[in-house]
Amino acid sequence: MKTFLVVQASARKARSITRELARCFVDAVEEADPKAQFHTRDLLDNPPPFVTEDWIAAAFSRTPELSENQRAVLAASDELIAEVKAADVIVLATPMYNYGMPAALKAWFDQVIRINQTFSFDLARGEQPIEPTLHGKTLVILTARGEGYFGAGERNASMNHLETHIDAVKHFLGVDAPSHLINVDFQEFGDERHEQSKAAAMKEAEALARKLATG
Ligand SMILES: Cc1cc2nc3c(=O)[nH]c(=O)nc-3n(C[C@H](O)[C@H](O)[C@H](O)COP(=O)(O)O)c2cc1C
């Protein structure tokens, strides 16, 4: 039995493709393994706070006991990190906004990637002082994009800062293996390319869900 953390990053509830894709994935997992556990973190309902000067001072504090105020400043981060730690599979359902991730998802990463929680820092390691502390998790990225042709070698590949950014930080979530990526493209065009992309993505999400639920 696996525990799935589903992070929803779309700013819309109605007509959201990433939410629909995540629903399809979750339904297929539930069907394959009715005992699977789910936790949803909806960044629209509960946007993570931005990192502040107080947050940085508390997170990097060298004193063993934090003050009440410092604990309060880190409370949201503690909660989000606990959700990541508890998950076997992390599902990021995220639109592309301005060729990158939505600000709410970036704020989530900034709260989750924290010294002595999800990474350690030791200058004795030379040029690579930072090491992730979590391991063995699986990452599923479900995206929707208004345009298309963002794949390797395609004409908009250099503007795709969504997948590449997630790829650069995924090891801090405990993800060592390559992530599973499913995209729906051409949403803004609403044409046949979009319909085909969406239908293929739904199928892919179902198949991946079955594989991860039982594997
Ligand atoms: C603020 C905003 C910025 C967007 N920026 C891009 C973009 O840079 N590239 C792109 O292909 N689509 C962009 N889109 C389109 C969305 O990626 C597309 O509508 C997607 O379906 C949104 O996900 P959702 O359906 O789950 O809400 C943008 C949409 C919004 C609302």
Side-chain angles (χ1 to χ4, degrees), residues 10 12 16-18 95-99 144 146-147 187-188:
S10 173
R12 58 181 183 173
S16 163
I17 293 169
T18 52
M96 173 182 275
Y97 284 170
N98 297 311
Y99 302 105
E147 301 161 69
Q187 177 273 327
E188 281 161 14

Side-chain angles (χ1 to χ4, degrees), residues 66-81:
L66 294 180
S67 70
E68 201 176 315
N69 183 50
Q70 285 176 317
R71 284 199 300 275
V73 164
L74 294 177
S77 169
D78 290 342
E79 194 179 338
L80 298 175
I81 289 170

